[in-house]
Amino acid sequence: MKNTNLKLAIQKNGRLTFDTINLLCESGLKFNIDKRYSFASCLNFPMEIVYVRDDDIPNYVERGVVDLGVVGQNILYETKRNVTNIIDLNFGFCSLSIAIPEKSNVKKIEQLKNAKITTSYPNSTKEYFTKKNIPINIISVTGSVEITPALGMADAIVDLVATGRTLALNNLKVIEKIYDSQAVLITGAENIGCEKKQILMQKLIKRFKKILSGISLLPVEKIIL
Ligand code: PRT
Ligand code: ZN
């Protein structure tokens, strides 16, 4: 990896990967999409693409290990890293929501006082209920949150919801939304000192914005700086 090149971290293998790669390709970038590799050099732009787990992206960006990252806002709200959202990318839409069993008698969240709530988003959950002044017991789990009420482990869950199919399959329903989320392009709050990188970054952002506003770009041998 060349040090003077821009570095962009994207999700290696998950829900944001396809749309992120699509955006990069539509923006005219040429690079190796082989997921067995951990990074790829762009062939027509001085940038390295680093493939990592989505949860690590804000950390890498905050530390300046990479200059840019694509990640869901939900991860930013949960981890509160010192990073800046440059643009909303218009994919990866979901919402962090509170869900209860369909048969539950709970009608409003105040009735969840002292309830057991499972989630992979303990910070967002705590913040939400603290603001509402509702004491709850948070149980952190790393995945399959939706099965915990049926296991008798929780009265409610806080999880990401997109289509709502997972909740329906598990006989759960949304009672309240905590926040909406989509994929965003982020950079370190302090940003990059190097002027060359700044110019590259602006060039790239301009291209992303064109694609996001529906303008198609022709493939080019080299993205002119
Ligand atoms: O391996 P890695 O750590 O990189 O990936 P991951 O498994 O942690 O994340 P991944 O790929 O599942 O999600 C990446 C990002 O996609 C999230 O951080 C969100 O920003 C965004 N996103 C958009 C979603 C969803 N939609 C989504 N529906 N992330 C997760 N889900 C899950 C949700 O947790 C629940 O299990 O999908 C299920 C609900 O989906 P519906 O459609 O049934 O409602
Ligand atoms: Zn993850």
Side-chain angles (χ1 to χ4, degrees):
M1 263 195 284
K2 272 192 198 163
N3 257 344
T4 51
N5 282 3
L6 210 55
K7 288 180 195 67
L8 166 71
I10 70 170
Q11 192 184 23
K12 188 180 174 85
N13 201 359
R15 288 169 201 267
L16 302 181
T17 309
F18 177 83
D19 287 321
T20 307
I21 288 178
N22 208 22
L23 172 67
L24 299 180
C25 292
E26 283 190 359
S27 301
L29 297 166
K30 292 179 185 169
F31 57 98
N32 188 347
I33 331 180
D34 192 331
K35 283 185 189 160
R36 287 172 303 171
Y37 298 100
S38 301
F39 71 91
S41 296
C42 286
L43 305 173
N44 58 348
F45 191 62
M47 184 169 84
E48 318 285 339
I49 296 163
V50 187
Y51 299 106
V52 290
R53 288 196 64 177
D54 66 343
D55 317 72
D56 293 327
I57 293 174
N59 188 0
Y60 290 168
V61 171
E62 184 186 50
R63 288 168 182 272
V65 175
V66 295
D67 308 299
L68 296 164
V70 172
V71 69
Q73 283 167 316
N74 49 297
I75 306 273
L76 302 181
Y77 297 149
E78 179 64 17
T79 58
K80 299 226 182 307
R81 294 278 177 186
N82 190 18
V83 296
T84 306
N85 175 356
I86 308 176
I87 29 171
D88 295 346
L89 295 175
N90 216 22
F91 61 80
F93 289 103
C94 56
S95 58
L96 187 72
S97 298
I98 306 166
I100 54 170
E102 274 161 7
K103 287 183 182 156
S104 169
N105 293 325
V106 170
K107 297 270 179 282
K108 46 186 184 161
I109 53 148
E110 285 73 14
Q111 292 172 269
L112 289 175
K113 188 177 170 191
N114 297 326
K116 287 181 284 179
I117 300 186
T118 43
T119 187
S120 314
Y121 288 80
N123 297 331
S124 305
T125 304
K126 188 176 172 199
E127 195 178 318
Y128 179 83
F129 281 98
T130 303
K131 266 190 196 151
K132 299 268 176 191
N133 218 5
I134 303 169
I136 50 149
N137 300 302
I138 298 174
I139 303 164
S140 287
V141 290
T142 55
S144 302
V145 184
E146 63 280 356
I147 65 164
T148 57
L151 293 173
M153 194 176 161
D155 306 300
I157 65 167
V158 169
D159 199 10
L160 297 176
V161 179
T163 62
R165 269 197 291 270
T166 306
L167 291 185
L169 281 170
N170 289 279
N171 304 314
L172 299 169
K173 61 180 180 190
V174 170
I175 184 174
E176 190 93 8
K177 184 164 71 179
I178 296 184
Y179 53 67
D180 285 316
S181 175
Q182 66 171 293
V184 291
L185 179 72
I186 56 168
T187 188
E190 298 301 321
N191 214 331
I192 328 144
C194 171
E195 195 186 337
K196 187 188 163 205
K197 282 191 174 183
Q198 283 287 356
I199 296 167
L200 291 174
M201 213 163 97
Q202 291 314 318
K203 188 88 192 167
L204 192 68
I205 293 165
K206 213 167 136 187
R207 286 194 156 244
F208 285 171
K209 282 186 176 165
K210 278 193 179 155
I211 297 302
L212 292 167
S213 60
I215 300 167
S216 351
L217 298 171
L218 292 169
V220 284
E221 273 314 301
K222 196 168 173 66
I223 297 175
I224 311 295
L225 298 178

